[in-house]
Amino acid sequence: MNHHANRRLNAARFPLKALGLLLPAALLLSTAARADGWPYPGWQDSEATRVKALALLQTVNATLLSNSSATRTLQQWCGEHRLAAEPRIRALRDNNTRKPADAEIRKQLQVGASEAIGYRRVQLACGDHVLSEADNWYVPSRLTPEMNRLLDTTDTPFGTAVRALNFTRRTEQAKLLWSPLPQGWEMRPAPAAAKTQGLEIPEQLIQHRAVLYRDGNVPFSLVVETYRHDLFAFPLNQPQTAP
C-alpha cells in the first residue's frame, strides 16, 4: 500500500477513533445528568422527595377529579410548572388504533347495538411532554356537526371541541398506579437516604374512567385516561431566579 493510501485510511479511521473516545464521555454525562433526578434536578431518591412526589400525585389527582375538563386542568398544570414556553395542550391523534365499543360501553352511553359510536385515541401534550393518553368513545348523534367535524379532521382536544355543551363529568373509577411510599411508611423508621440515586418514576401514574353528560343526564362520551410521568417533568425545589 503506498503512502497516500495509508494517509487516506488513517483519515477514515480517525473519526471512528474519535467517536470511540467521545461515546464513553457522552454516556458519563448522561449518567451524571440522571444521578440527581429522574432526569430532572432535585428528584433524588429520598424519603423527603417521595413525600413530595406523593403530595404532588394526590394534588393533580384531586384537581382532575374536581374539574369537568381534563384538558383545562392539564393546561393549568403545565403553566404552573413551566413545562413549556407556551402552556397549550395539543391532542396528538393515533389514527391507527381501533377499539370498537363493547356492550358495557354501550350500556354506559345508553345506546342500542345499532347506534354509531365514534372512537378517538389521543395523547395530550404540552410542549415536548406527553401528559396523558386517552381512549374516547362518543355518540356523534349527540354532538353538533361542527363538533364532529373537529373530532374527525383536526387534533383539537375532545374537551375543547365539545366545550359549548357545558357538560358535566362523572368519574366511574380513579386509580393511582404508583405509590411513591410503601403501605404504612408513616409508622416505620425512615430509610437511609440515597444521596446520588435519582428517583425512579414509572411511565403511568394515574388512570381515570369517566362519563361525560350533556343536558344534565344524557351521556355522550366515555373516556379512559392514563396520566404519565411527564406531569413531573420539572426541577423540584430549585432556587428561583430573578425575572
Side-chain angles (χ1 to χ4, degrees):
M1 184 179 293
N2 61 36
H3 174 69
H4 294 293
N6 275 327
R7 290 184 60 185
R8 287 196 298 270
L9 182 58
N10 289 334
R13 286 174 174 167
F14 177 77
L16 295 176
K17 188 183 296 184
L19 184 60
L21 293 173
L22 289 173
L23 278 175
L27 290 172
L28 183 61
L29 287 173
S30 176
T31 302
R34 297 182 66 91
D36 72 338
W38 80 268
Y40 299 94
W43 292 87
Q44 295 92 349
D45 190 354
S46 66
E47 185 180 45
T49 299
R50 286 178 175 271
V51 170
K52 294 172 186 177
L54 181 60
L56 285 166
L57 195 64
Q58 296 283 10
T59 296
V60 69
N61 188 45
T63 305
L64 287 163
L65 290 172
S66 63
N67 286 277
S68 61
S69 173
T71 303
R72 289 199 298 270
T73 300
L74 291 178
Q75 186 155 301
Q76 181 179 355
W77 181 271
C78 179
E80 289 175 350
H81 294 87
R82 303 176 186 176
L83 301 183
E86 181 186 2
R88 182 177 67 85
I89 297 298
R90 297 175 294 120
L92 309 176
R93 294 178 64 190
D94 176 355
N95 293 319
N96 298 318
T97 302
R98 295 287 184 270
K99 294 184 181 180
D102 59 21
E104 179 60 27
I105 291 173
R106 288 184 173 277
K107 180 180 178 181
Q108 288 192 278
L109 292 176
Q110 300 176 16
V111 297
S114 61
E115 178 78 36
I117 300 291
Y119 172 76
R120 216 170 182 245
R121 180 174 176 82
V122 300
Q123 293 179 323
L124 295 184
C126 186
D128 295 330
H129 302 294
V130 175
L131 305 183
S132 73
E133 51 195 10
D135 294 301
N136 192 323
W137 294 267
Y138 61 95
V139 185
S141 64
R142 295 175 184 171
L143 307 180
T144 67
E146 175 61 14
M147 291 173 186
N148 282 310
R149 185 193 68 79
L150 289 173
L151 294 174
D152 290 340
T153 64
T154 75
D155 287 344
T156 305
F158 190 87
T160 302
V162 303
R163 183 181 299 164
L165 294 178
N166 195 26
F167 60 89
T168 57
R169 174 187 173 109
R170 299 180 196 172
T171 302
E172 305 287 333
Q173 186 181 57
K175 294 189 295 185
L176 294 182
L177 304 179
W178 175 56
S179 177
L181 291 164
Q183 186 75 21
W185 65 272
E186 70 279 7
M187 303 294 290
R188 303 174 185 173
K195 296 181 180 180
T196 60
Q197 182 178 349
L199 179 63
E200 292 186 12
I201 301 180
E203 186 172 327
Q204 298 183 341
L205 302 180
I206 303 168
Q207 189 172 83
H208 290 172
R209 181 185 178 100
V211 178
L212 307 185
Y213 294 82
R214 55 170 292 180
D215 304 326
N217 60 356
V218 179
F220 67 91
S221 170
L222 183 145
V223 62
V224 177
E225 301 159 334
T226 304
Y227 297 91
R228 296 162 54 104
H229 59 189
D230 269 17
L231 287 168
F232 295 165
F234 56 87
L236 186 65
N237 297 133
Q238 295 301 292
Q240 296 294 314
T241 56

